[in-house]
Amino acid sequence: MAPIKEVARSEEQALSLNYIRTILQRLEDTILFQLIERGQNAHNAVMYEPGAIPALKEKEGWERSWVEWFLKETESSHSKLRRWQAPDEYPFTDVKLLPAPILPPIEYPKVLYEPAIVNVNDKIYSHYKDHLVPALTKRFGQDSDDGEYGSAAVRDVDALAALSKRIHFGMFVSESKFRSDTPTFVDAIQKRDTKKLEALITKPEVEAALLVRLEGKAKVYGQDLNSSIPEKDLKIDPDVAVQLYRDFVIPLTKVVEVDYLLKRLDGLTDEHIQALKSGQVSK
Amino acid sequence: MAPIKEVARSEEQALSLNYIRTILQRLEDTILFQLIERGQNAHNAVMYEPGAIPALKEKEGWERSWVEWFLKETESSHSKLRRWQAPDEYPFTDVKLLPAPILPPIEYPKVLYEPAIVNVNDKIYSHYKDHLVPALTKRFGQDSDDGEYGSAAVRDVDALAALSKRIHFGMFVSESKFRSDTPTFVDAIQKRDTKKLEALITKPEVEAALLVRLEGKAKVYGQDLNSSIPEKDLKIDPDVAVQLYRDFVIPLTKVVEVDYLLKRLDGLTDEHIQALKSGQVSK
């Protein structure tokens, strides 16, 4: 058996806008699949309530919610497998609570500028529990509870990971665009011109096409093919998927993109910044 | 906040053939979703090779494969959440390696007859790695490796859990049918007449309808809606899904069903068996 082959994605590939688009479109499918699956369970509000499961506090000293505990447990296993060393994966759990990897580190190409990396998982978790889960499980009702906290939490963890990956991928978009038009970006960053930065990374026609595509995907993948009228009896409300992207995923990705850019020059020497500004170097 | 509501599925509900059918059909969707997702990664044969990751042996004393290690890690977290106390969930990992639940036990209705419970996860794992994963990833090739062992293993664990749940659900079918025609079953069990038992639990027309439905689901859910010809550019080969059920899931479920029935009288007194045989009691 050949020795384990390490990830060898090149810097060039990781920053190609074509490659990024492929990943983002594939993640739309994954996110929809996970949300459809989560929508098969009831709301189970107790899962998100800090302290609602006394045994977690008594036996594990855990004061937060069931789902947060489940995230910590899952992310701990994944930490041993060095998942959080990958440049496109960020944990929900405080890294201080996660164990060290048991595998030797992978030499990822240094694609992102480390001091600029942003983690918005707190915002993702809040939106997920406060808005998305209630919307996904609306047909069962706000007070619905099926007791299946294990299955539902597995879906939560998968869905949250997919959303997190999608939103943090914005940093690759930022870095890619920064390198392709460095002087313009350096100028806007130095002026703290967030409006300009937002305009530089935003393509309204791409966003509009995304929402149309997403609605179509929700209508296809959400069909309940066990029902006699699959195209009416949907397992996910397409509006919920569209709203999620329009009102949350796209704006928060933009926040990540702009915040990353605002920190993109932090810690660089004046000389280096000058070279970037004059277009002599692009990173 | 109301206290945590425990699962209170009644014995009657758990054994209703209507309820069982609903669960099984819903699991078809889950299985397809997970297999489609797994098919997005390469074959990554090294993930299934015992001892291929030296660090697992050195640091964790683990001599088996990466995926088996990942199963153990995941199933350990789930064990703390008492997942393996549920009558429809069985771990792939040796229970001796799993930690005790931290939550108080749930009082599940005693639906299955405990001494008859069967665990065929070894067979499921072998088929999965030797046949299913190569078939799902055929378009990438037998030697394909994308290095994404973390993501691929998460999909493996989810897909295996869904297949395991589906196949072990056969025990509920067996118990349900046993109770509805107890004297006939007791007679066949005492005669060790496996052909008869198989005939009693098999409905060829239901199996045929399942395969047709499954092919339809694979064609709908497998569409790559990022492609310009989604209905041709499928993310899963519908034949792979049909073969999986026809040649593996259905036959192995039958093995589980018959094995369960063959042990259904183990440990009962002669008096009790006589009462079952004469139709005085049904369990």
Side-chain angles (χ1 to χ4, degrees):
Chain A
M1 191 68 221
I4 187 167
K5 193 199 110 194
E6 303 293 41
V7 173
R9 224 184 273 149
S10 70
E11 193 168 338
E12 203 183 334
Q13 188 197 1
L15 291 176
S16 127
L17 287 177
N18 252 338
Y19 173 77
I20 293 173
R21 188 166 45 238
T22 306
I23 299 281
L24 294 183
Q25 290 191 0
R26 201 205 263 183
L27 276 169
E28 288 162 16
D29 302 8
T30 301
I31 289 169
L32 279 174
F33 278 17
Q34 303 296 359
L35 297 184
I36 288 168
E37 288 290 301
R38 178 59 185 89
Q40 300 295 296
N41 278 110
H43 182 202
N44 298 346
V46 74
M47 288 170 45
Y48 310 96
E49 197 76 25
I53 319 282
L56 285 179
K57 184 169 191 307
E58 288 154 22
K59 302 217 180 151
E60 303 266 309
W62 188 255
E63 314 225 339
R64 309 183 75 165
S65 69
W66 168 273
V67 169
E68 286 166 288
W69 188 78
F70 206 76
L71 275 166
K72 183 207 46 142
E73 286 288 297
T74 307
E75 294 186 335
S76 293
S77 312
H78 296 188
S79 184
K80 295 195 204 167
L81 301 181
R82 68 187 169 198
R83 177 173 184 179
W84 317 114
Q85 291 183 355
D88 56 352
E89 299 273 10
Y90 300 90
F92 283 81
T93 308
D94 185 340
V95 286
K96 288 196 293 288
L97 299 177
L98 298 176
I102 59 168
L103 300 175
I106 298 185
E107 284 304 318
Y108 287 104
K110 288 262 174 285
V111 176
L112 297 181
Y113 182 62
E114 227 156 283
I117 288 175
V118 180
N119 182 333
V120 293
N121 278 338
D122 279 359
K123 288 197 180 73
I124 297 173
Y125 180 74
S126 296
H127 184 87
Y128 182 82
K129 80 175 166 63
D130 293 337
H131 301 286
L132 190 53
V133 176
L136 291 171
T137 58
K138 201 174 167 194
R139 62 192 170 125
F140 299 116
Q142 193 66 22
D143 295 331
S144 60
D145 190 312
D146 58 18
E148 296 191 353
Y149 305 144
S151 316
V154 170
R155 296 283 86 83
D156 283 341
V157 168
D158 285 350
L160 284 164
L163 284 167
S164 174
K165 188 164 180 167
R166 166 60 175 83
I167 289 165
H168 289 103
F169 232 84
M171 293 189 283
F172 291 87
V173 177
S174 288
E175 182 67 23
S176 176
K177 296 199 171 175
F178 176 87
R179 292 200 196 176
S180 66
D181 189 9
T182 315
T184 310
F185 275 91
V186 172
D187 186 64
I189 293 165
Q190 287 184 316
K191 291 180 179 145
R192 315 313 279 167
D193 188 345
T194 54
K195 285 261 170 273
K196 175 84 182 284
L197 290 172
E198 213 177 295
L200 284 168
I201 48 159
T202 300
K203 285 200 169 173
E205 69 280 13
V206 171
E207 288 175 11
L210 185 165
L211 296 177
V212 171
R213 185 174 62 240
L214 193 75
E215 190 180 3
K217 287 181 177 179
K219 284 181 178 166
V220 170
Y221 297 142
Q223 290 178 71
D224 186 349
L225 296 169
N226 303 313
S227 143
S228 48
I229 35 167
E231 63 284 4
K232 294 224 165 152
D233 213 354
L234 294 174
K235 292 190 282 183
I236 188 168
D237 179 349
D239 289 344
V240 168
V242 170
Q243 276 167 31
L244 168 69
Y245 263 74
R246 189 190 59 212
D247 301 340
F248 182 69
V249 172
I250 293 174
L252 186 56
T253 304
K254 230 169 270 178
V255 168
V256 166
E257 289 170 339
V258 171
D259 283 1
Y260 176 87
L261 288 167
L262 287 172
K263 297 199 277 172
R264 183 58 183 82
L265 305 176
D266 286 9
L268 297 179
T269 62
D270 288 347
E271 264 180 319
H272 191 154
I273 294 175
Q274 212 43 53
L276 288 165
K277 203 169 182 172
S278 66
Q280 287 172 274
V281 294
S282 68
K283 59 172 177 166
Chain B
M1 191 65 224
I4 186 168
K5 193 199 111 194
E6 303 293 41
V7 174
R9 227 184 270 150
S10 71
E11 194 169 336
E12 203 184 335
Q13 188 196 0
L15 290 177
S16 129
L17 287 176
N18 252 338
Y19 172 77
I20 293 172
R21 188 165 47 238
T22 307
I23 298 281
L24 294 181
Q25 291 191 1
R26 201 204 263 182
L27 277 169
E28 288 163 15
D29 302 8
T30 301
I31 289 169
L32 280 173
F33 278 16
Q34 303 296 359
L35 297 184
I36 288 167
E37 287 289 301
R38 177 59 184 87
Q40 300 294 296
N41 277 110
H43 182 200
N44 298 347
V46 73
M47 287 170 45
Y48 309 95
E49 197 75 26
I53 318 283
L56 284 180
K57 183 170 193 301
E58 290 154 24
K59 302 217 180 155
E60 301 267 311
W62 188 255
E63 313 223 342
R64 309 184 75 164
S65 69
W66 168 274
V67 169
E68 286 165 289
W69 188 78
F70 206 76
L71 275 167
K72 184 208 43 142
E73 287 287 299
T74 308
E75 295 187 334
S76 294
S77 311
H78 295 188
S79 183
K80 295 196 204 165
L81 300 181
R82 69 186 167 196
R83 178 174 181 178
W84 317 114
Q85 292 183 353
D88 55 352
E89 299 273 11
Y90 299 90
F92 283 80
T93 308
D94 185 341
V95 286
K96 289 196 292 288
L97 299 177
L98 298 176
I102 58 169
L103 300 176
I106 298 185
E107 284 304 319
Y108 286 104
K110 287 263 174 284
V111 176
L112 297 180
Y113 181 62
E114 228 156 281
I117 288 174
V118 181
N119 182 334
V120 293
N121 279 337
D122 280 0
K123 288 196 180 73
I124 296 173
Y125 180 74
S126 296
H127 185 87
Y128 182 81
K129 82 176 166 59
D130 293 338
H131 301 286
L132 190 53
V133 175
L136 290 171
T137 57
K138 202 174 166 191
R139 63 193 169 123
F140 298 116
Q142 193 67 23
D143 296 330
S144 60
D145 190 312
D146 58 18
E148 295 191 353
Y149 305 145
S151 315
V154 170
R155 296 282 85 82
D156 283 342
V157 168
D158 284 350
L160 284 164
L163 283 167
S164 174
K165 188 165 179 166
R166 166 60 175 83
I167 289 166
H168 289 103
F169 231 85
M171 295 189 282
F172 290 87
V173 176
S174 289
E175 182 66 23
S176 176
K177 295 200 172 173
F178 176 86
R179 292 198 196 178
S180 66
D181 188 10
T182 316
T184 310
F185 275 93
V186 172
D187 187 62
I189 293 166
Q190 286 185 318
K191 291 181 179 145
R192 314 315 280 167
D193 188 346
T194 54
K195 285 262 171 274
K196 175 83 181 286
L197 289 171
E198 214 176 295
L200 285 168
I201 49 159
T202 301
K203 285 202 172 171
E205 70 280 13
V206 171
E207 288 175 11
L210 184 165
L211 295 177
V212 171
R213 185 174 62 239
L214 194 75
E215 189 180 5
K217 286 181 178 179
K219 284 181 177 165
V220 170
Y221 296 143
Q223 289 178 72
D224 186 350
L225 296 169
N226 303 313
S227 144
S228 48
I229 34 167
E231 63 285 3
K232 294 222 166 158
D233 214 351
L234 293 175
K235 292 190 282 183
I236 188 168
D237 179 349
D239 289 344
V240 168
V242 170
Q243 274 166 32
L244 168 68
Y245 263 73
R246 189 191 58 212
D247 302 340
F248 183 69
V249 172
I250 292 174
L252 186 55
T253 304
K254 232 170 269 177
V255 168
V256 166
E257 288 169 340
V258 171
D259 283 0
Y260 177 87
L261 288 167
L262 286 171
K263 297 199 276 172
R264 183 59 183 80
L265 306 176
D266 286 9
L268 297 181
T269 63
D270 289 345
E271 262 180 322
H272 191 157
I273 295 175
Q274 212 41 54
L276 288 166
K277 202 168 182 173
S278 65
Q280 287 171 277
V281 295
S282 67
K283 59 171 179 168

